């Protein structure tokens, strides 16, 4: 039993059943954090719990919840209500490729509920505790998509723009509070996300980054209290270019790239 006067810090990671979230959970555990891991697939969370507890010797609580639903969000909020959270990672995310007119409405609303609604609901749930203790990290996993309009994935891109805008404002509001915000904006990463959102290929043929590399960069930045993380030189260039180009031209370029990814996906599924 560990001494009560020296509790381990606690990191909460949503979308920890695969990809970037899973690797971030491992990265925090290796740094001595206890964990609350959240996703729908309970079997994956349990497997992660077994791996982490046996290799890192920290405690892992699994919360199986659908963050697209009000009940699922409430379940996670309840699980965190009596915990002293040190780090919240809002990583769970959903996407879809296809034009707005052809995309299933349920899926579009699910993207908003997971990528935006649950992120706000969890951030606001833990913030009073962080502010009271005058320390803590909020980590929002957005995307380079948050900096540009995204034809053929318009709701996903807009959801990430929401996260970028909200994080920039929250960072300002929290200045000098002891609580930091880290905004992570990866480019294409090799995870299950490609398959679940019907995407193949990358933006302009750039190599997919590994989820481990993105997770490590994100955890390091969060613990150092840095605000913006865009992993990979090509992705930083993309973000810089998108700030310079007219939005209409960027939309046309993204449309071309997304069309290719959509066609590749249709061939592959
Ligand atoms: N991969 C990329 O190219 C890329 C690029 C930029 C940004 N991102 C962002 O990175 C984040 C992580 O994605 P990833 O690439 O690691 O993809 P991933 O491997 O598909 O992971 C997505 C995670 O989100 C969880 N999730 C999805 N819908 C959920 C729901 N309704 N309720 C609870 N959990 C849900 C999934 O768990 P369950 O299915 O078990 O629920 C899974 O753990 C996302 O926010 C994504 O937008 C990804």
């Amino acid at each position: 039993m560990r001494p009560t006067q020296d509790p381990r810090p606690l990191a909460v990671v949503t979308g920890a059943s695969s990809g970037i979230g899973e690797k971030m959970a491992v990265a925090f555990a290796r740094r001595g954090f206890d964990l609350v891991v959240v996703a729908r697939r309970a079997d994956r969370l349990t497997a992660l719990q077994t791996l982490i507890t046996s290799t890192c010797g920290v405690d892992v609580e699994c919360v199986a919840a659908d963050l697209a639903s009000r009940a699922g969000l409430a379940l996670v909020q309840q699980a965190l209500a009596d915990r002293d959270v040190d780090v919240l990672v809002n990583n769970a995310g959903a996407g879809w490729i296809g034009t707005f007119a052809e995309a299933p409405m349920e899926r579009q609303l699910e993207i908003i509920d997971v990528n935006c609604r649950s992120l706000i609901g969890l951030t606001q749930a833990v913030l009073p505790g962080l502010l009271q203790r005058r320390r803590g990290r909020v980590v929002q996993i957005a995307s380079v998509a948050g900096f540009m309009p995204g034809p053929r994935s318009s709701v996903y891109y807009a959801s990430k723009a929401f996260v970028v805008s909200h994080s920039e404002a929250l960072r300002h509001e929290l200045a000098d509070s002891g609580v930091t915000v880290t905004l992570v904006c990866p480019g294409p990463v090799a995870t299950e996300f490609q398959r679940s959102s019907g995407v193949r290929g990358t933006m302009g043929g750039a190599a997919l980054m590994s989820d481990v590399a993105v997770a490590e960069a994100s955890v390091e930045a969060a613990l150092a209290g840095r605000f913006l993380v865009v992993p990979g030189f090509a992705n930083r260039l993309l973000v810089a270019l998108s700030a310079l180009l007219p939005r209409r031209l960027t939309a046309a370029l993204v449309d071309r790239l997304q069309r290719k990814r959509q066609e590749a996906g249709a061939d592959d599924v």
Side-chain angles (χ1 to χ4, degrees), residues 47-169:
L48 181 66
Q49 179 186 46
T50 306
L51 173 79
I52 287 178
T53 49
S54 63
T55 55
C56 303
V58 298
D59 296 333
V60 181
E61 182 187 344
C62 302
V63 182
D66 181 355
L67 287 171
S69 74
R70 279 167 197 260
L73 174 58
L75 190 73
V76 184
Q77 287 169 329
Q78 257 167 29
L80 302 182
D82 58 352
R83 307 290 302 265
D84 282 350
V85 175
D86 292 281
V87 180
L88 169 67
V89 182
N90 282 304
N91 163 77
W96 179 263
I97 192 157
T99 63
F100 183 65
E102 74 194 11
M105 190 189 291
E106 273 315 305
R107 180 66 175 177
Q108 304 293 67
L109 295 175
E110 182 188 340
I111 289 171
I112 295 169
D113 285 340
V114 179
N115 300 8
C116 304
R117 192 173 185 282
S118 82
L119 175 142
I120 292 300
L122 293 181
T123 303
Q124 228 178 6
V126 304
L127 201 52
L130 302 184
L131 289 173
Q132 197 182 14
R133 294 189 297 282
R134 292 197 59 78
R135 67 181 161 82
R137 316 287 190 200
V138 176
V139 186
Q140 312 292 39
I141 309 295
S143 166
V144 292
F147 296 101
M148 54 195 89
R152 295 176 189 272
S153 204
S154 61
V155 174
Y156 177 73
Y157 276 59
S159 76
K160 294 302 184 181
F162 174 94
V163 177
V164 169
S165 174
H166 181 260
S167 300
E168 288 169 340

Side-chain angles (χ1 to χ4, degrees), residues 15 17-18 20 40-41 66-67 91 156 160 187 189 191 194:
S17 61
S18 63
I20 298 167
R40 288 167 301 186
R41 288 170 292 179
D66 181 355
L67 287 171
N91 163 77
Y156 177 73
K160 294 302 184 181
V189 186
T191 65
Q194 315 290 323

Side-chain angles (χ1 to χ4, degrees), residues 26 236 249:
V26 171
R236 286 194 286 279
L249 179 58

Side-chain angles (χ1 to χ4, degrees), residues 23 46 60 72 86 121 154 163 177 182 191 199 201 204-205 209 222-224 227 229:
K23 305 308 181 297
T46 309
V60 181
D86 292 281
S154 61
V163 177
S177 70
T182 295
T191 65
V199 173
M209 282 193 78
L223 294 180
F227 176 63
V229 189

